[in-house]
């Protein structure tokens, strides 16, 4: 749960800064966050299927 909270806080920071950052930097940060959330979702799904 703490990872989701951290991801949302980081996403809010990036979205807030997006107006001041160049588009490639914003897209790179968005890709990193998306990958992090995807890995988290896959790990949670495997954990729930294993139980």
């Amino acid at each position: 749960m703490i990872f989701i909270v951290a991801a949302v806080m980081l996403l809010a920071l990036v979205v807030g800064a997006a107006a001041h950052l160049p588009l490639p930097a914003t897209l790179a940060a968005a890709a990193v966050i998306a990958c992090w959330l995807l890995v988290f979702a896959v790990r949670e799904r495997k954990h729930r299927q294993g139980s």
Side-chain angles (χ1 to χ4, degrees):
M1 185 67 182
I2 190 76
F3 296 116
I4 293 175
V5 172
V8 169
M9 288 174 55
L10 186 60
L11 181 61
L13 180 71
V14 171
V15 168
H20 304 287
L21 290 175
L23 184 61
T26 303
L27 293 177
V32 168
I33 293 169
C35 289
W36 182 22
L37 289 174
L38 181 63
V39 167
F40 178 78
V42 168
R43 288 180 61 191
E44 283 294 312
R45 184 176 177 112
K46 282 186 178 182
H47 177 72
R48 291 183 190 269
Q49 287 179 350
S51 297

